[in-house]
Amino acid sequence: MRIGQQGTLTNVWAPKGSRPTAVKQTEYDWVYIFGAVNPVNGKSSAVITPTVNTDYMNHHLRFISEEAGKDVHVVLVLDQAGWHIAKQLVVPKNISLLHLPAYSPELNPIERLWAYMKSHYLSNRIYKNYEEIFNAGTVAWNNITSEMFCSICNTEWTKHEN
């Protein structure tokens, strides 16, 4: 997920007869969140970075692997972003990557989380600088409880029987 700076007023959807506005920044600065959620138990991990690339993805995979433990196998659902399919990607032995079909964000459970975070914590705000954007991303992620992770990221197709 990308969080950034943008600074003018913009129109928003509202009840008929009203014309509310919301803040829209016009400067661009970004932070990115690499996130993973287990929708069964609510465990999660995230790395906030200044850009997206294979090196950061490798760092995130190592972190997920270490947090899960060597005796737990993780199936990580991903889209086909370049850093998810790069030849230089180093996938730990206890992780299997499940790439979704191209252009199918509706199948990716984490996309629901990005939408929730944007609508509840990140949209319609002015960020003064990079540090404030970084902190907003951190606060947004940390405000999501395990129960919320389970609820938001839960889908029928990811359930398994054991």
Side-chain angles (χ1 to χ4, degrees):
M1 179 177 77
R2 179 172 76 172
I3 308 165
Q5 283 181 308
Q6 293 157 349
T8 64
L9 291 179
T10 186
N11 291 319
V12 295
W13 288 100
K16 188 174 183 177
S18 66
R19 297 190 61 72
T21 56
V23 174
K24 178 181 177 186
Q25 288 187 278
T26 54
E27 299 173 21
Y28 295 95
D29 212 357
W30 309 100
V31 298
Y32 298 82
I33 301 176
F34 286 79
V37 172
N38 182 332
V40 175
N41 61 22
K43 290 185 179 180
S44 66
S45 82
V47 177
I48 300 178
T49 64
T51 190
V52 288
N53 61 36
T54 305
D55 289 337
Y56 285 120
M57 185 64 192
N58 283 332
H59 175 72
H60 185 49
L61 290 173
R62 276 192 311 276
F63 185 71
I64 293 168
S65 174
E66 290 168 7
E67 287 294 307
K70 63 181 178 181
D71 297 330
V72 173
H73 191 81
V74 174
V75 177
L76 189 61
V77 176
L78 305 157
D79 59 23
Q80 295 187 44
W83 54 92
H84 293 163
I85 59 174
K87 291 179 181 169
Q88 299 84 11
L89 202 60
V90 179
V91 182
K93 291 181 181 184
N94 66 332
I95 295 180
S96 293
L97 303 182
L98 175 61
H99 290 100
L100 294 171
Y103 307 106
S104 58
E106 70 281 358
L107 295 177
N108 196 341
I110 199 87
E111 292 295 339
R112 297 173 181 204
L113 180 62
W114 301 148
Y116 182 88
M117 288 174 61
K118 286 177 186 176
S119 69
H120 287 78
Y121 299 108
L122 303 169
S123 295
N124 301 325
R125 289 161 177 77
I126 295 279
Y127 299 104
K128 294 177 187 172
N129 53 38
Y130 180 85
E131 182 179 349
E132 197 168 294
I133 296 168
F134 185 94
N135 290 339
T138 303
V139 167
W141 184 273
N142 289 334
N143 276 327
I144 309 293
T145 65
S146 294
E147 293 79 17
M148 292 168 72
F149 281 130
C150 289
S151 175
I152 295 167
C153 297
N154 189 15
T155 63
E156 280 300 313
W157 77 266
T158 59
K159 292 185 174 134
H160 63 87
E161 310 244 344
N162 274 357

